[in-house]
Amino acid sequence: MPHKLSDIRLKHLGWAKKEDRMAKFKRYRELDPDGTYGSTEQYQSILDENPNLVRFEE
């Protein structure tokens, strides 16, 4: 799949709140229980209590 580089930066808040992570995990597991369209390891990583996050510099 082709791609292009950009100077646009996005601040991803998907791991900001525990309840958001739980909702995301449940939604992914409900929609793709066997990991057919995604990675079950990635789904499990949503529950990681200490994710490897990179500080966003404004």
Side-chain angles (χ1 to χ4, degrees), residues 20-58:
D20 291 343
R21 291 193 309 270
M22 286 303 300
K24 181 184 282 192
F25 176 77
K26 289 177 182 177
R27 182 174 64 250
Y28 283 17
R29 294 296 292 160
E30 182 179 309
L31 294 171
D32 187 22
D34 298 320
T36 303
Y37 303 103
S39 164
T40 55
E41 291 82 12
Q42 190 274 331
Y43 299 161
Q44 282 300 126
S45 76
I46 294 168
L47 302 179
D48 189 340
E49 290 291 327
N50 297 300
N52 182 22
L53 303 177
V54 177
R55 180 171 297 280
F56 187 91
E57 300 291 335
E58 298 288 339

